């Protein structure tokens, strides 16, 4: 009875690992989570904002489409402060970045269309795109952030390119300026829609120029989220879209009216009280320290053949070992260590990447990173 789209749905590895973790009580070091540290969620401020906005019953009314006008204006400021140019584009509030990606997939992809996607990629985005088309080509991303170049023949066929130039998930790498320029040229020359997914920008001190700033032809749809710096449960994200598409995006929001009015009012209040910029700088410092600690400890403890990416911030370091990290997960969990096997972030040649894993520091305190790395290093050595 299911549609062909429904038959292509599958569980993301992140969901599988997080379901497993919920059942396990004894995880000491959670290198698996992509959620922010609960200690960095501004709980008191959110509580105060909630009480304030609830004084007006309007905070519980229907959301309409596009998001509250005042929130959209505040988000324009937030983007400008992050160095993202909003010129000639509209901010449309979404229920997190995931909802933004789903709306974009729905609006742009027919069954016969081709997608161009990084390999590895944020697999949950791929699941959303794959819901609409099963045709895709890949760009391989290395541990140093280098990327392969698609052929002319590929570019001619592709309609939509999905990319994470800044702190790519799962590798934590950054795309170089030249490759960014080439993407913009491809978009112009081959008439591509480019989806730039950028939720980690607030977590690096010196992010590079986003694709959207370089785009003079209105080909880039910029997506971001407040999940990583405020709280994922509030479900507030956005699309910064060329005017040409913004109305269609709002029309798509009529399909479910899933924006949460209360969340929008809370986030608006937090923005007006400057809570978000304060928490973002604190979070940036904290996560950068943890990433540095993790990188130093990998250097100290991992066997010589293990390689890893070297991010300057964000949540993730991607490692490449000679053991099957998917098979090793059960053993690691039994010793209190969780991570996400990297092969599931690949959409092609998964078995070739069974030695990879994504390690996230977002929910691991500095003092626990050492224990986690030592246990993992010993397991990797024992099973090599
Ligand atoms: C690259 C990327 N895009 C989108 C998302 C989804 O974010 P949200 O919670 O806003 O839906 C995530 C979350 O892990 C992510 O890493």
């Amino acid at each position: 009875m299911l549609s062909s789209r429904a038959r292509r749905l599958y569980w993301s590895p992140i969901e599988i690992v997080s379901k497993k973790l919920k059942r396990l009580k004894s995880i000491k070091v959670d290198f698996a989570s992509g959620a922010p540290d609960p200690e960095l969620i501004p709980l008191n401020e959110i509580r105060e904002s909630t009480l304030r906005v609830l004084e007006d019953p309007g905070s519980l009314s229907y959301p309409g489409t596009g998001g509250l006008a005042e929130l959209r204006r505040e988000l324009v400021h937030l983007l400008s402060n992050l160095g993202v140019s909003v010129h000639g584009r509209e901010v449309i509030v979404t229920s997190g970045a995931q909802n933004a990606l789903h709306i974009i997939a729905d609006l742009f992809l027919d069954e016969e269309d081709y997608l161009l996607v990084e390999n590895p990629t944020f697999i949950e985005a791929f699941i959303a795109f794959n819901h609409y088309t099963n045709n895709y080509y890949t760009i391989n991303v290395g541990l140093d952030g280098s990327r392969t170049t698609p052929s002319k023949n590929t570019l001619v066929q592709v309609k939509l390119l999905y990319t994470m130039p800044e702190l790519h998930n799962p590798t934590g790498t950054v795309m170089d300026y030249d490759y960014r320029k080439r993407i913009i040229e491809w978009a112009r020359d081959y008439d591509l829609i480019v989806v730039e997914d950028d939720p980690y920008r607030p977590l690096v001190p010196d992010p590079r120029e986003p694709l959207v700033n370089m785009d003079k032809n209105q080909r880039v749809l910029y997506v971001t989220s407040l999940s990583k710096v405020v709280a994922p449960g509030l479900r507030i994200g956005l699309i910064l879209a060329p005017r040409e598409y913004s109305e269609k995006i709002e029309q798509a929001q009529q399909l479910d009216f899933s924006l949460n009015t209360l969340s929008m009012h809370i986030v608006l209040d937090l923005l007006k009280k400057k809570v978000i910029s304060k928490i973002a700088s604190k979070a940036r410092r904290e996560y950068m320290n943890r990433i540095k600690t993790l990188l130093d400890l990998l250097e100290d403890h991992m066997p010589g053949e293990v390689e890893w990416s070297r991010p300057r911030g964000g949540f993730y370091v991607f490692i490449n070992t000679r053991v099957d990290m998917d098979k090793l997960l059960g053993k690691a969990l039994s010793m209190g260590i969780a991570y996400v096997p990297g092969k599931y972030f690949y959409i092609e040649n998964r078995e070739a990447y069974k030695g990879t894993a994504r390690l996230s520091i977002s929910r691991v305190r500095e003092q626990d990173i050492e224990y986690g790395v030592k246990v993992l290093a010993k397991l990797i050595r024992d099973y090599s």
Side-chain angles (χ1 to χ4, degrees):
M1 297 299 278
L2 292 171
S3 68
S4 53
R5 278 201 311 279
R7 275 181 268 129
R8 279 203 299 273
L9 280 171
Y10 56 91
W11 286 113
S12 103
I14 305 165
E15 271 304 301
I16 293 173
V17 175
S18 69
K19 280 192 167 86
K20 247 188 209 165
L21 291 187
K22 276 179 197 143
R23 286 197 299 271
L24 290 171
K25 300 247 159 2
S26 56
I27 290 302
K28 289 197 213 63
V29 183
D30 178 4
F31 282 136
S33 179
D37 188 333
E39 296 276 315
L40 288 166
I41 294 178
L43 219 51
N44 285 332
E45 289 84 347
I46 292 175
R47 189 179 297 116
E48 283 162 20
S49 289
T50 308
L51 291 176
R52 234 181 337 261
V53 304
L54 278 174
E55 279 169 25
D56 176 0
S59 63
L60 290 169
S61 60
Y62 273 115
T65 65
L68 304 173
E70 215 185 335
L71 175 61
R72 292 168 83 165
R73 284 196 292 277
E74 284 292 334
L75 289 171
V76 164
H77 290 311
L78 182 79
L79 289 174
S80 305
N81 290 338
L82 289 169
V84 179
S85 160
V86 292
H87 183 70
R89 289 165 214 262
E90 293 280 344
V91 165
I92 296 142
V93 183
T94 58
S95 302
Q98 186 67 30
N99 172 240
L101 297 170
H102 186 196
I103 292 174
I104 292 170
D106 188 24
L107 288 181
F108 288 95
L109 294 175
D110 286 315
E111 286 270 338
E112 64 276 15
D113 289 331
Y114 276 77
L115 175 72
L116 183 56
V117 62
E118 288 155 341
N119 192 41
T121 189
F122 173 52
I123 205 72
E124 287 168 352
F126 181 71
I127 292 174
F129 293 124
N130 194 223
H131 197 49
Y132 294 90
T133 177
N134 200 25
N135 301 324
Y136 56 83
Y137 291 106
T138 54
I139 292 172
N140 285 338
V141 180
L143 290 179
D144 57 356
S146 61
R147 283 157 166 87
T148 51
T149 300
S151 70
K152 209 170 158 184
N153 186 37
T154 297
L155 289 167
V156 168
Q157 290 178 67
V158 163
K159 181 168 186 189
L160 188 147
L161 162 58
Y162 169 67
T163 178
M164 291 161 278
E166 203 67 35
L167 295 180
H168 170 266
N169 182 1
T171 64
T173 59
V174 167
M175 184 190 288
D176 67 35
Y177 181 72
D178 264 10
Y179 204 95
R180 289 176 199 232
K181 255 178 39 200
R182 285 158 79 198
I183 288 187
I184 296 300
E185 285 162 15
W186 298 333
R188 182 195 62 205
D189 298 346
Y190 298 94
D191 210 15
L192 310 184
I193 287 292
V194 176
V195 181
E196 177 176 27
D197 190 7
D198 199 22
Y200 300 97
R201 173 165 295 266
L203 300 180
V204 266
D206 49 354
R208 299 199 182 197
E209 184 133 37
L211 295 172
V212 70
N213 288 19
M214 303 159 77
D215 172 36
K216 304 281 174 278
N217 300 301
Q218 309 282 300
R219 312 310 295 168
V220 177
L221 293 155
Y222 179 90
V223 172
T224 190
S225 165
L226 295 185
S227 289
K228 309 298 172 179
V229 283
V230 187
L234 287 171
R235 309 306 301 134
I236 297 288
L238 67 86
I239 307 176
L240 179 62
R243 296 241 155 82
E244 186 183 347
Y245 299 121
S246 56
E247 187 178 353
K248 265 293 159 221
I249 295 169
E250 287 203 39
Q251 285 173 354
Q253 294 188 317
Q254 300 174 115
L255 295 174
D256 58 13
F257 286 111
S258 70
L259 284 175
N260 181 323
T261 315
L262 180 59
S263 276
M264 286 195 284
H265 278 282
I266 294 169
V267 167
L268 171 60
D269 193 70
L270 291 170
L271 282 165
K272 287 204 288 201
K273 297 260 173 315
K274 310 270 181 252
V275 171
I276 294 183
S277 49
K278 265 188 228 136
I279 196 75
S281 22
K282 187 170 167 202
R284 184 187 313 128
R285 278 195 307 276
E286 178 63 33
Y287 296 133
M288 280 174 63
N289 287 340
R290 292 184 199 179
I291 284 279
K292 185 169 180 320
T293 303
L294 173 60
L295 292 174
D296 289 346
L297 288 162
L298 289 171
E299 199 71 57
D300 291 346
H301 299 288
M302 280 292 165
E305 73 279 6
V306 178
E307 308 167 285
W308 53 88
S309 58
R310 289 180 161 74
R312 290 162 307 144
F315 291 179
Y316 314 117
V317 172
F318 205 58
I319 64 169
N320 186 19
T321 73
R322 299 227 184 111
V323 299
D324 185 331
M325 293 302 287
D326 191 27
K327 286 209 180 117
L328 204 65
L329 181 62
K331 190 83 199 142
L333 288 174
S334 72
M335 298 177 77
I337 314 292
Y339 58 84
V340 185
K343 74 174 192 187
Y344 296 111
F345 293 97
Y346 288 85
I347 53 180
E348 270 182 350
N349 298 332
R350 274 194 177 158
E351 282 316 296
Y353 299 104
K354 62 185 182 211
T356 61
R358 188 189 75 176
L359 304 183
S360 166
I361 47 71
S362 67
R363 291 198 155 208
V364 187
R365 300 288 146 71
E366 279 227 49
Q367 61 272 25
D368 297 326
I369 299 177
E370 182 166 5
Y371 174 75
V373 170
K374 279 184 173 164
V375 173
L376 261 187
K378 181 166 183 337
L379 280 174
I380 289 170
R381 205 172 267 116
D382 289 351
Y383 285 80
S384 285

